[in-house]
Amino acid sequence: MQSLDYRVIAQALAWLQNSSPVWLCTVLHTYGSSPRSPGSLLAATAQGEFIGSLSGGCIEEDFLARIALGEFCQASQVVRYGKGGRETAIELPCGGTLDVLIEYLPQAASTLDYLSQLLRALKGEVRLLKSLLLPQAAMLETCPARHMTAAIRYQQQEIMLPIGSVPTLLIAGYSAVAHDCIKLAEMLGFEVVICEHREEQQRQLQQDFSDLSPYLVISQHPALYLEKYGASSSTAIVSLTHDPRIDDLTLSEAVTTEAFYIGAMGSQANSLQRRERLQRISELTTDDLDRIHAPIGLPIGSKTPAEIALSILADIVRCKNSGV
């Protein structure tokens, strides 16, 4: 299933190929409650066609009307919608405020190349950093995954947006809980990486997911994989085996990475025992140990693998969205 952002850019590219200029909008920042999160996209034409969403209706109507009046013809500008907005009197039903980046994209070979690169990033082929200095046009540069951040940087006239920096869930060891984590993570838009070096679990994984093409399966101990490749700040690492030979080694390597979430399954008593082992054997510091969510997940009284997976993904999303 293609993401909404992918469909927005693909449609914008199609409009441009038909010699129609396009306006590309990106939500930069939200204040209070808002219907769309930072990074959300909308594309529109002067004929009133649009795809994507900024607010669910009210902003889109005003934006399209202003395009028809000949506004927004600078290469880039930012408009604030909602309470405190100087550009428009529109108020959002939820009382929030949105800062929206508006890019005017004329029909040109350079614009077609620009959107084609964005499309490649949204397909996962490359990770890009989009930067611009208002009111100039945006620039794109490739960025290694380890140096990517999921956050948008927006200060005065300077804007930097990661493109293709989708959150990644790295699962250390396949299990019944991992099975349901994979399904939930896919629904939530995560890129899933599974590190499984045990042959029996590899066979079970292949049996449970006959088409593994959407996922990256690494036939290597997760600790060795993390030692070699590390993990970016947009990665959550979860160890779900209950096997100290996997969990302990994985966690020892995980805390050396920039992962925004690290967690391992186990009861309160088992988690305390693991913490003591990691401190004694792996010589992890208190700061290192405090990065590990154990017991993993939100405390919702989960019992079944599906419920445990729900608590894990809910906690990961909480940390991702709150920046903690």
Side-chain angles (χ1 to χ4, degrees):
M1 181 181 297
Q2 295 173 339
S3 68
L4 177 58
D5 287 349
Y6 181 92
R7 286 182 278 129
V8 168
I9 299 301
Q11 183 59 68
L13 187 59
W15 283 329
L16 275 167
Q17 289 171 335
N18 289 326
S19 301
S20 176
V22 171
W23 285 260
L24 179 62
C25 301
T26 307
V27 176
L28 290 179
H29 195 75
T30 64
Y31 305 86
S33 298
S34 60
R36 297 288 281 155
S37 61
S40 300
L41 297 177
L42 176 144
T45 70
Q47 290 73 41
E49 302 169 295
F50 77 95
I51 182 172
S53 174
L54 298 176
S55 73
C58 52
I59 288 180
E60 287 85 347
E61 291 177 5
D62 175 82
F63 175 67
L64 293 172
R66 294 174 71 178
I67 287 179
L69 293 174
E71 297 189 38
F72 306 132
C73 288
Q74 291 180 300
S76 64
Q77 64 185 93
V78 172
V79 174
R80 175 166 293 180
Y81 282 96
K83 187 176 181 180
R86 292 172 293 182
E87 300 288 341
T88 176
I90 283 183
E91 293 187 6
L92 301 178
C94 51
T97 303
L98 297 177
D99 282 348
V100 180
L101 168 65
I102 302 173
E103 298 175 75
Y104 172 66
L105 305 176
Q107 207 286 329
S110 59
T111 310
L112 291 170
D113 180 66
Y114 173 67
L115 288 177
S116 295
Q117 290 188 64
L118 292 181
L119 205 60
R120 287 186 59 218
L122 293 172
K123 287 170 64 178
E125 296 178 5
V126 66
R127 297 177 192 257
L128 299 173
L129 190 62
K130 173 177 171 178
S131 60
L132 56 90
L133 187 64
L134 300 173
Q136 300 174 20
M139 303 289 290
L140 297 175
E141 60 178 321
T142 56
C143 189
R146 285 180 59 85
H147 299 153
M148 286 290 284
T149 173
I152 294 173
R153 285 184 281 173
Y154 168 37
Q155 294 181 335
Q156 297 180 339
Q157 304 299 103
E158 187 176 2
I159 299 169
M160 302 187 76
L161 303 96
I163 309 294
S165 182
V166 296
T168 298
L169 177 65
L170 190 151
I171 297 176
Y174 187 62
S175 63
V177 172
H179 173 274
D180 290 326
C181 281
I182 291 169
K183 294 192 292 184
L184 281 175
E186 183 181 24
M187 291 171 59
L188 293 167
F190 281 76
E191 179 181 278
V192 179
V193 177
I194 308 151
C195 285
E196 181 52 79
H197 63 293
R198 299 168 297 177
E199 292 185 2
E200 182 177 349
Q201 281 71 23
Q202 287 178 10
R203 287 194 294 270
Q204 186 63 53
L205 178 60
Q206 184 67 53
Q207 180 179 324
D208 291 346
F209 295 91
S210 57
D211 180 10
L212 287 169
S213 58
Y215 319 114
L216 177 62
V217 180
I218 307 295
S219 301
Q220 188 175 37
H221 193 293
L224 293 176
Y225 176 80
L226 289 172
E227 181 183 16
K228 185 174 182 179
Y229 297 104
S232 73
S233 58
S234 61
T235 301
I237 301 171
V238 294
S239 198
L240 307 175
T241 68
H242 281 305
D243 185 340
R245 295 170 298 179
I246 298 176
D247 295 345
D248 289 14
L249 292 173
T250 297
L251 295 173
S252 296
E253 288 297 332
V255 296
T256 69
T257 73
E258 298 176 0
F260 75 87
Y261 187 95
I262 302 168
M265 285 201 308
S267 66
Q268 187 69 46
N270 286 338
S271 297
L272 288 174
Q273 292 173 6
R274 182 195 300 117
R275 185 182 176 97
E276 188 276 330
R277 289 197 306 272
L278 291 173
Q279 189 172 33
R280 174 171 48 86
I281 300 174
S282 299
E283 299 184 344
L284 298 191
T285 67
T286 300
D287 288 342
D288 291 334
L289 295 167
D290 287 345
R291 291 185 62 197
I292 301 171
H293 296 254
I296 197 171
L298 294 180
I300 61 174
S302 51
K303 300 295 183 184
T304 67
E307 290 175 346
I308 297 170
L310 175 63
S311 74
I312 292 171
L313 266 298
D315 200 26
I316 291 173
V317 170
R318 177 187 65 85
C319 292
K320 175 177 71 71
N321 292 346
S322 63
V324 299

